[in-house]
Amino acid sequence: MKKSKKPQPASSAIIERDGRYLLVLRTKPPSDAMYAFPGGRGEEGETPAETALRELFEETGIKAEKPMLFATYDLPGREDGPGSPSFFLSVFKVRADASAVAIAADDAASVGWYTAGEIANMPAPESVRECIARLEAERSRLSA
């Protein structure tokens, strides 16, 4: 009988500016070589919101505030072997100074601001695609 693994906590942060979303190109599993919202694993004693803000700063140099929970995901490991953990991902919308410049750091190979149309043609996790679809629907409702 296989043992079930307890998911590790992880969080990511969404920043949107003028219809563009901040994404990082990941260099480490589980989303290596994919574009994703800045984020990563939670640390001992850290809330999911604190993780999102810390990871955003570590990967992009942007300090944000006012994290609002937007979505959660149970992300299974790639396989049932060791070294392939599962995650409980909390995704937060955050606010940052509009003049803050993102610089790739930590495990981000690059950073950029992308439209939903551009993201549709980029390698990205399904969770990112789902969040972008929800965000775009929200933007459409607000502009109508």
Side-chain angles (χ1 to χ4, degrees):
M1 178 186 267
K2 294 180 182 177
K3 291 183 181 179
S4 64
K5 294 184 267 184
K6 182 179 178 188
Q8 296 181 14
S11 296
S12 59
I14 298 171
I15 298 180
E16 182 266 332
R17 287 186 186 162
D18 300 320
R20 293 182 169 274
Y21 302 94
L22 179 64
L23 298 182
V24 299
L25 177 58
R26 298 231 163 269
T27 61
K28 295 181 182 174
S31 298
D32 50 318
M34 298 182 95
Y35 289 86
F37 300 120
R41 298 173 194 215
E43 293 181 353
E44 187 69 33
E46 199 172 48
T47 67
E50 290 167 340
T51 299
L53 295 175
R54 176 184 53 77
E55 286 285 344
L56 172 66
F57 180 71
E58 287 177 1
E59 293 183 358
T60 69
I62 293 179
K63 288 189 177 186
E65 61 183 10
K66 300 186 180 181
M68 294 177 44
L69 185 62
F70 183 72
T72 59
Y73 296 92
D74 283 309
L75 304 174
R78 290 185 181 176
E79 54 191 50
D80 201 29
S84 183
S86 59
F87 294 95
F88 182 77
L89 176 65
S90 300
V91 182
F92 292 85
K93 289 172 65 175
V94 301
R95 292 190 183 183
D97 186 310
S99 65
V101 176
I103 299 169
D106 198 30
D107 66 345
S110 66
V111 297
W113 297 89
Y114 304 97
T115 65
E118 291 168 331
I119 295 166
N121 296 310
M122 298 164 64
E126 193 56 37
S127 59
V128 170
R129 295 187 189 290
E130 183 179 306
C131 284
I132 294 295
R134 284 183 54 202
L135 290 160
E136 287 296 296
E138 198 174 88
R139 282 171 31 87
S140 293
R141 280 193 303 275
L142 293 175
S143 65

